[in-house]
Amino acid sequence: VQLLQSGAEVRKPAASVIVSCKAPSDTFNRFYLHWVRQAPGQGLEWMGKINPSGGGATYTEKFQGRVTMTRDTSTRTVYMELRSLTSDDTATYFCTREGLVFGGAIVPYFDYWGQGSLVIVSS
Amino acid sequence: SSELTQDPAVSVALGQTVRITCQGDSLRGSFAGWYQQKPGQAPVLVMYGKNNRPSGIPARFSGSKSGNTASLTITGAQAADEADYYCNSRDSSGNQYVFGSGTKVTVL
């Protein structure tokens, strides 16, 4: 399973950026895809998830109003748009697949990851 | 609280055992996922659920959970295990996920 992300981007403060993630057919149709970011030297931060087949998305409160996750079913690609960028948004953005769980237990895990897309916000 | 707390750093002698812990309220209702990340690379899943190792992950990695604390144990640590390790969980609604703060493991 390969999640292929778009390349590095440089943006000025207040601008927007769109990062893409192309998924194999089975992944696109059956799994949730999530976006996780990592600022330089920092830990992993969950941003939100999208159901590629249905299009519904959920975001963490921190990014509500500033992030939008969408998908294009014709190209099996999901997109993460982040607006009103500041230097704090300089990070590597990862697309990752949530593994399937059978039964009632809550077992959240991410079994495949994209290679990451570096976004640099600088004036 | 949705936070997951991990010790910032631990060290282990080559061939010895190290346990990495992850503590948080969300773990009372959720199992944890564990990820290994080496510099400049994407995270790699090493453990999930009760004690499930993905294909290709060595048997020296094991997991457990008790109450609000999940643990990842490396039995017989190797130089290749030197990395940052992160845990994750999610809330019961399925709408909020969280990662731990990360633990840097040094193999001496």
Side-chain angles (χ1 to χ4, degrees):
Chain A
V1 174
Q2 190 172 13
L3 300 174
L4 190 59
Q5 296 186 222
S6 49
E9 304 272 11
V10 180
R11 293 286 184 272
K12 294 189 183 304
S16 300
V17 69
I18 297 176
V19 182
S20 67
C21 170
K22 185 176 177 65
S25 177
D26 182 63
T27 292
F28 194 87
N29 293 326
R30 297 177 60 219
F31 294 79
Y32 278 84
L33 292 176
H34 296 239
W35 289 94
V36 174
R37 78 176 188 179
Q38 186 171 39
Q42 303 301 308
L44 301 173
E45 181 177 29
W46 182 76
M47 300 179 68
K49 67 177 182 179
I50 183 169
N51 177 358
S53 60
T58 302
Y59 313 121
T60 192
E61 187 174 346
K62 175 177 177 177
F63 296 104
Q64 285 277 3
R66 206 161 67 90
V67 71
T68 303
M69 296 176 188
T70 57
R71 94 295 194 208
D72 182 337
T73 56
S74 66
T75 60
R76 301 194 314 273
T77 302
V78 297
Y79 299 91
M80 187 281 299
E81 179 185 23
L82 190 60
R83 300 175 291 277
S84 303
L85 294 168
T86 72
S87 57
D88 290 341
D89 295 313
T90 292
T92 297
Y93 290 76
F94 293 102
C95 167
T96 181
R97 186 182 90 167
E98 182 175 4
L100 294 178
V101 177
F102 302 96
I106 297 176
V107 187
Y109 66 99
F110 303 112
D111 55 0
Y112 290 96
W113 295 68
Q115 81 275 23
S117 300
L118 176 62
V119 174
I120 297 172
V121 183
S122 174
S123 55
Chain B
S1 169
S2 61
E3 294 181 354
L4 293 177
T5 301
Q6 298 181 238
D7 290 329
V10 296
S11 60
V12 57
L14 185 68
Q16 296 304 300
T17 296
V18 62
R19 187 173 73 170
I20 307 162
T21 60
C22 171
Q23 188 172 30
D25 288 343
S26 59
L27 288 171
R28 295 191 184 281
S30 167
F31 285 97
W34 288 94
Y35 309 86
Q36 177 192 73
Q37 188 181 34
K38 297 183 178 180
Q41 298 182 16
V44 173
L45 178 71
V46 296
M47 184 64 55
Y48 65 98
K50 210 168 192 180
N51 188 15
N52 299 298
R53 272 180 298 108
S55 173
I57 301 302
R60 62 180 179 271
F61 288 88
S62 62
S64 64
K65 187 176 86 89
S66 177
N68 71 337
T69 301
S71 300
L72 177 72
T73 300
I74 309 173
T75 303
Q78 303 299 304
D81 301 332
E82 189 163 287
D84 294 327
Y85 290 83
Y86 295 92
C87 60
N88 87 280
S89 73
R90 57 151 251 232
D91 69 356
S92 57
S93 74
N95 290 328
Q96 294 300 317
Y97 294 67
V98 62
F99 283 93
S101 43
T103 297
K104 183 176 183 60
V105 172
T106 300
V107 180
L108 303 173

